[in-house]
Amino acid sequence: MAYIKIGSNLTLEVPSNPTIGYIEGDGIGPDISKTSISVINASLEFAYGGDRSIEWEKVLAGEEALSKTGKHLPQESLDQLKKCVVSIKGPLTTPIGQGFRSLNVTLRQYFDLYANIRPVKYFPGVPSPVKNPEKMNMVIFRENTEDLYMGIEFKYDSPEASKMREFLASNMDVKLTDDTGIGIKPISKFKSSRLVRKAIQYAIKNKRRNVTLVHKGNIMKYTEGAFKEWGYQVAANEFKDNTVTEEEYLKDPDNYRGKIVLKDRIADNMFQQVLTRTEDYDVIATTNLNGDYLSDALSAQVGGLGLAPGGNVGDAYAIFEAVHGTAPKYAGMDVANPTSLILSGVMMLRHLEWDNAADVLENAIIATYHDQKVTQDLARVMNIKPLKCSEFGQEIIKRMKPVKK
């Protein structure tokens, strides 16, 4: 795959047989990766009859990479992912004391995958802790490369923390006790703007109703508050013909029908809004830490992280991923739920603009859940017989049907 320039934009040129990198992941990763690849391949065969297919290239990362190369993320693997352009990965264990905090964060920062995209919607038949899970249909765009996830912090008794406390006391009249650890929360105009831009572009392309900027600007005015202001500026400067502010819309709704409504909500208020007024929200754009909390909370409303897909997307590269953990106690047992990774595969197919295959696969997953064919994580809640991970994949393949256009 490669990008070609059309005007001022880069467009991904996808051949009929692209090479896609895949990282199996740790723990349950190999089980769910094997099943996911099999159902993605089946959806391509069903949708295109052999005219399109994927050449899968295994990329080492995590515990397998450590055992074979001595590194959790060798440079050769980064080079492979770069060559592939688009990749998909299972869950990875975060190594302790290896010079970086998270393999996932390292990948996002190395490839500048600044948008973490998490679509969340309900599948009929899935147990949910809320009364009306069917109202959930949101897509979160979470900034992926700055905020507290940059990991700029200093332990309370470190020389760096001492220097920071001295500097703040001497130059900023900020006095902290000697047992205070310090973290820095950088939020920039450039990175905030491009995240909101991508969210609005998604909303326009997919005919969504509104985009909500979620922030804590009432307290952190020059970081979270600035994120909100920069978001409104992007909409006003670049998408004036497609968007309208909530304030303008409420004054004269009939005059703005068909436009995307841009609004903002304080983060803590948003947590109760997504429960009490779920249907009012569509696309969410937010900062890193807010997005981390909020995306998991939304996933819980529709059945948990086992059903939550995710994609890390930049202007050049994309890595789609299962968003749950490695669950090592179930490793190699063929019992894990592969839905998160399979749905991430659906996202990947849409990124390639292979929408027929994506529709075939997504509809088959919905039908499988509707028929209450589930793995052990949900079967124990529903008090029914569980399917193995591989069996669940076969049930999805059985339910693939032509998509009516």
Side-chain angles (χ1 to χ4, degrees):
M1 275 180 285
Y3 280 88
I4 57 173
K5 193 163 187 178
I6 299 177
S8 59
N9 299 317
L10 288 175
T11 299
L12 185 63
E13 189 175 51
V14 182
S16 60
N17 183 32
T19 298
I20 301 288
Y22 74 97
I23 296 171
E24 285 189 342
D26 300 324
I28 60 174
D31 286 344
I32 65 173
S33 292
K34 182 178 179 181
T35 295
S36 298
I37 288 173
S38 71
V39 297
I40 292 170
N41 285 342
S43 71
L44 293 171
E45 179 63 31
F46 198 95
Y48 305 118
D51 290 338
R52 298 183 191 180
S53 61
I54 290 173
E55 186 72 30
W56 297 97
E57 180 172 322
K58 185 174 179 178
V59 179
L60 290 179
E63 294 173 352
E64 184 182 10
L66 181 65
S67 68
K68 293 181 177 179
T69 71
K71 296 181 180 180
H72 282 93
L73 190 58
Q75 184 61 46
E76 182 184 43
S77 296
L78 293 171
D79 293 342
Q80 283 180 276
L81 294 170
K82 187 174 183 178
K83 186 177 180 181
C84 289
V85 181
V86 175
S87 304
I88 190 167
K89 59 175 281 295
L92 291 171
T93 302
T94 297
I96 298 174
Q98 296 295 322
F100 45 84
R101 292 172 179 246
S102 164
L103 290 171
N104 294 324
V105 172
T106 300
L107 287 169
R108 293 166 186 173
Q109 294 181 347
Y110 185 89
F111 290 103
D112 198 22
L113 307 174
Y114 60 85
N116 180 248
I117 306 172
R118 294 273 296 270
V120 186
K121 69 178 182 180
Y122 178 66
F123 291 163
V126 176
S128 168
V130 298
K131 290 182 178 179
N132 300 112
E134 71 280 356
K135 293 181 179 180
M136 173 67 68
N137 188 358
M138 300 185 204
V139 183
I140 294 183
F141 280 72
R142 166 194 174 200
E143 207 292 318
N144 229 358
T145 60
E146 57 180 358
D147 196 0
L148 295 180
Y149 265 54
M150 286 192 75
I152 307 172
E153 63 172 347
F154 309 104
K155 190 179 177 184
Y156 78 96
D157 59 354
S158 67
E160 294 84 359
S162 179
K163 289 179 183 178
M164 287 292 295
R165 290 192 297 264
E166 290 173 9
F167 176 82
L168 291 171
S170 300
N171 297 278
M172 305 290 182
D173 196 29
V174 175
K175 295 179 175 59
L176 302 172
T177 60
D178 290 342
D179 59 354
T180 303
I182 296 175
I184 297 177
K185 179 187 177 72
I187 290 183
S188 67
K189 182 176 182 179
F190 171 73
K191 292 186 176 183
S192 298
S193 297
R194 67 178 181 175
L195 184 278
V196 175
R197 181 180 300 114
K198 190 171 282 290
I200 295 174
Q201 288 171 339
Y202 176 92
I204 293 170
K205 181 179 179 180
N206 293 278
K207 297 181 172 55
R208 307 294 289 219
R209 297 169 293 121
N210 56 65
V211 175
T212 303
L213 307 173
V214 178
H215 60 94
K216 190 61 179 170
N218 57 328
I219 303 298
M220 293 172 278
K221 301 183 186 302
Y222 306 122
T223 51
E224 302 261 344
F227 173 86
K228 178 194 75 170
E229 296 304 324
W230 293 328
Y232 276 114
Q233 288 173 18
V234 167
N237 295 338
E238 302 178 30
F239 301 99
K240 190 174 182 180
D241 294 337
N242 303 99
T243 63
V244 59
T245 66
E246 183 179 35
E247 183 180 6
E248 293 172 321
Y249 176 79
L250 291 176
K251 288 178 182 176
D252 189 6
D254 291 335
N255 191 42
Y256 295 109
R257 295 204 182 278
K259 288 200 172 186
I260 294 163
V261 180
L262 189 71
K263 45 192 176 182
D264 71 272
R265 295 292 183 269
I266 302 296
D268 47 333
N269 177 42
M270 189 63 176
F271 274 88
Q272 64 92 19
Q273 290 277 308
V274 297
L275 282 166
T276 59
R277 305 186 65 172
T278 312
E279 65 275 21
D280 289 353
Y281 297 96
D282 202 353
V283 175
I284 294 170
T286 189
T287 53
N288 194 303
L289 192 60
N290 289 333
D292 194 10
Y293 296 147
L294 195 57
S295 57
D296 282 11
L298 296 187
S299 299
Q301 290 181 229
V302 297
L305 291 180
L307 285 78
N312 302 291
V313 181
D315 291 330
Y317 303 99
I319 300 177
F320 299 88
E321 64 182 355
V323 303
H324 53 69
T326 58
K329 69 178 181 179
Y330 296 118
M333 296 172 63
D334 193 25
V335 297
N337 187 346
T339 304
S340 174
L341 191 59
I342 296 173
L343 286 172
S344 298
V346 172
M347 292 181 68
M348 183 188 74
L349 291 171
R350 296 200 190 285
H351 183 76
L352 300 177
E353 297 193 349
W354 289 3
D355 289 342
N356 283 353
D359 291 341
V360 165
L361 182 48
E362 186 170 9
N363 290 344
I365 297 168
I366 293 170
T368 303
Y369 275 108
H370 181 270
D371 294 342
Q372 296 195 329
K373 301 293 185 180
V374 299
T375 46
Q376 55 91 18
D377 57 324
L378 296 175
R380 61 175 176 240
V381 180
M382 301 163 69
N383 198 27
I384 60 176
K385 183 180 178 181
L387 296 174
K388 290 184 176 296
C389 176
S390 54
E391 292 171 339
F392 179 77
Q394 289 301 314
E395 292 294 335
I396 292 173
I397 294 171
K398 286 178 187 178
R399 288 165 177 77
M400 290 183 179
K401 295 180 180 179
V403 177
K404 296 179 180 178
K405 296 294 184 181

